[in-house]
Amino acid sequence: MAAITAALVKELREKTGVGMMDCKKALNETDGDFEAAVDWLRKKGLSKAAKKADRVAAEGLVAVATDGSNGAVVEVNSETDFVARNETFQAAVKDIATLALTTGGDVDALKAASLPSGETVEDKLTNLVATIGENMSLRRTQVITAEPGVVASYVHNAEADGMGALGVLVGLKSEGDKDKLAELGRKIAMHVAAGSPAVAVSVDIDGVDSAIADKEREVFADQARASGKPDNIIEKMVEGRMRKFFEEVVLLKQAFVMDPDRTIEKVLEDAGKELGSPVEITGFVRMAKGEGVEKKEEDFAAEVAAATGQA
């Protein structure tokens, strides 16, 4: 039996594109025979899976998981939306979202974490690629906490319980009744989901990146000066436009979608009075499937024509 060194595992990984753990397992199963290990990986479908890794995966699912004052959201991508309806894929995504509650919003830590089956998340996805035949990837994850309080969730266009095209988490810190907090949190999460294209980027004004705010102020000032009005009027015009800007990107300043006469800030104030304890948003996250991924435009008619020699 050949010695199974780190260098040999690395060489096998470079040749096949398969993960380190699977390469090590292949060498163990074949007593360190390199070529036999390559064949072992091919028979398992893992080499084939690795070749799919450069294909664009912008479909899939966003999934949420909550546990009282903690919440996690993950995006697991596939190449087509058909896979999002696959029960095996859905079960894996659900397990990954639940596991994400323990990994602090770190993608690499989540990939390396072990699922109930004993597989790491990375190995699970590699095996699914081999089984289902599409590239898949864990693209991102994020966690929200609210102690004391609750983290509420909402999924839009749900494919299954807790997963769909868009997931939102909202953390509410309060000593108030947990059930009522959860109900309020879900409504605010629905508000956040409905926010496109004017999506909130911060809970409060202080959380807005100063560079972004300064740039907006500069643009508004240039526009106001073009009107030829006096400086004191220009200043008022800029301040008015900045207020409008903050109403669009700051969650607390937005008009509540279910009651436009009240801002989210007012909704929280009223809820605090009802619950007998102040209510504070500790954070929120809105994650939409495939956002920011450049999708390749497919011409299926041309592909069929080429395949049949009619191109």
Side-chain angles (χ1 to χ4, degrees):
M1 175 177 176
I4 300 173
T5 63
L8 190 62
V9 175
K10 182 174 182 289
E11 184 182 353
L12 183 58
R13 183 183 187 186
E14 290 173 349
K15 181 176 178 66
T16 63
V18 177
M20 283 285 195
M21 295 304 294
D22 284 313
C23 286
K24 185 176 180 180
K25 184 175 181 181
L27 288 165
N28 282 326
E29 292 289 335
T30 57
D31 294 329
D33 185 318
F34 188 87
E35 294 304 325
V38 172
D39 289 340
W40 188 91
L41 289 170
R42 289 181 63 194
K43 290 174 182 177
K44 293 292 184 180
L46 298 178
S47 256
K48 182 179 179 181
K51 293 178 181 177
K52 301 177 188 294
D54 61 348
R55 298 189 342 202
V56 175
E59 297 296 335
L61 291 167
V62 171
V64 298
T66 59
D67 180 16
S69 58
N70 299 301
V73 57
V74 300
E75 179 184 3
V76 183
N77 295 126
S78 60
E79 292 179 55
T80 69
D81 60 355
F82 296 107
V83 172
R85 297 190 285 273
N86 180 296
E87 291 184 0
T88 301
F89 179 70
Q90 290 177 356
V93 173
K94 181 177 181 179
D95 285 344
I96 292 170
T98 301
L99 187 58
L101 287 166
T102 67
T103 55
D106 186 298
V107 171
D108 290 335
L110 181 54
K111 286 180 179 178
S114 294
L115 293 161
S117 62
E119 301 168 285
T120 66
V121 168
E122 187 167 28
D123 286 344
K124 178 66 175 181
L125 291 177
T126 298
N127 291 329
L128 280 177
V129 172
T131 302
I132 295 177
E134 286 194 14
N135 184 26
M136 298 175 196
S137 65
L138 169 62
R139 183 179 174 217
R140 51 186 173 156
T141 179
Q142 197 164 337
V143 299
I144 295 287
T145 60
E147 185 64 46
V150 301
V151 174
S153 66
Y154 171 71
V155 173
H156 189 62
N157 287 340
E159 287 287 352
D161 185 34
M163 62 188 76
L166 170 66
V168 178
L169 295 176
V170 173
L172 293 182
K173 180 179 179 181
S174 177
E175 297 280 1
D177 181 89
K178 296 294 189 292
D179 290 339
K180 291 183 178 179
L181 279 176
E183 182 182 353
L184 173 62
R186 178 173 169 78
K187 289 178 179 178
I188 295 176
M190 293 174 73
H191 166 94
V192 173
S196 184
V199 178
V201 299
S202 172
V203 173
D204 53 29
I205 292 177
D206 290 341
V208 178
D209 188 322
S210 60
I212 293 175
D214 290 345
K215 182 65 176 177
E216 290 298 315
R217 187 179 295 277
E218 181 183 334
V219 170
F220 293 151
D222 287 344
Q223 292 173 343
R225 289 190 194 98
S227 68
K229 291 188 168 52
D231 287 347
N232 63 322
I233 300 298
I234 289 174
E235 184 177 346
K236 291 179 180 179
M237 290 172 65
V238 171
E239 290 307 315
R241 291 178 182 179
M242 287 301 295
R243 279 195 299 273
K244 180 66 175 176
F245 167 71
F246 287 131
E247 287 171 4
E248 292 178 349
V249 302
V250 173
L251 182 56
L252 290 177
K253 300 299 181 183
Q254 291 182 343
F256 185 34
V257 70
M258 297 181 185
D259 183 1
D261 291 333
R262 293 190 296 166
T263 62
I264 297 294
E265 192 169 33
K266 177 61 174 171
V267 169
L268 295 180
E269 181 184 330
D270 292 345
K273 292 176 181 177
E274 180 185 342
L275 295 172
S277 173
V279 182
E280 172 190 344
I281 295 179
T282 61
F284 71 95
V285 56
R286 180 185 193 275
M287 192 176 287
K289 174 191 69 178
E291 59 188 350
V293 177
E294 185 175 347
K295 301 179 184 180
K296 180 181 177 182
E297 295 296 327
E298 303 284 0
D299 186 339
F300 291 108
E303 285 187 16
V304 171
T308 57
Q310 298 176 15

